[in-house]
Amino acid sequence: MSTLESVIWHVLGYSAMPVIILGGFAAVAVVCVWLLSLTKDKDT
């Protein structure tokens, strides 16, 4: 594997974890907001 390929794989590897963590956080937040919107008071 060349140096360029090694650098690319390292960048992809180190950037994947924050993307997965932030993506999961955003998905949980969206699901929670959706569930809360189902149970809100409808008459206000």
Side-chain angles (χ1 to χ4, degrees), residues 1-14:
M1 183 162 46
S2 70
T3 305
L4 178 61
E5 288 174 317
S6 179
V7 168
I8 290 172
W9 281 115
H10 278 89
V11 168
L12 288 175
Y14 286 123

Side-chain angles (χ1 to χ4, degrees), residues 12-41:
L12 288 175
Y14 286 123
S15 64
M17 194 175 351
V19 168
I20 291 169
I21 291 171
L22 292 174
F25 177 78
V28 169
V30 167
V31 169
C32 289
V33 168
W34 176 70
L35 286 173
L36 285 172
S37 71
L38 291 178
T39 60
K40 70 176 184 177
D41 292 331

